[in-house]
Amino acid sequence: MRVSLKETGTTIMGWDKKQTSRPTSFKMTTYFSSVLVLQTAGGRMLGKPLDSIQFKYSALLKLSPAIFYALVAGFSDKAVLLSTSGPSG
């Protein structure tokens, strides 16, 4: 991410809502902790769209928001989805 920021000569939101060219991995995780991925029988979806900071972090890492819901990017076994009545047992 730092290389990408250096190559483009840009900054990103860091601590105390200040722009930085040296973001930390901890700060990045704090921005993504609110991402909610919903798993349904129809597939995955985001609980709400990424905000502008999350989108910018993803773009700098050259990641599409689809990494959160595309079946090829993660878990796709529908057999382990909970039934609509809840967990068994």
Side-chain angles (χ1 to χ4, degrees), residues 32-79:
F32 283 91
S33 65
S34 64
V35 172
L36 177 64
V37 179
L38 305 173
Q39 177 74 45
T40 67
R44 290 177 165 188
M45 66 178 102
L46 291 173
K48 62 180 182 176
L50 296 180
D51 65 30
S52 60
I53 295 171
Q54 293 164 334
F55 192 79
K56 189 169 182 181
Y57 268 88
S58 297
L60 285 169
L61 293 169
K62 297 178 175 49
L63 298 173
S64 164
I67 64 165
F68 296 106
Y69 55 82
L71 293 178
V72 295
F75 190 74
S76 64
D77 185 0
K78 292 182 182 181

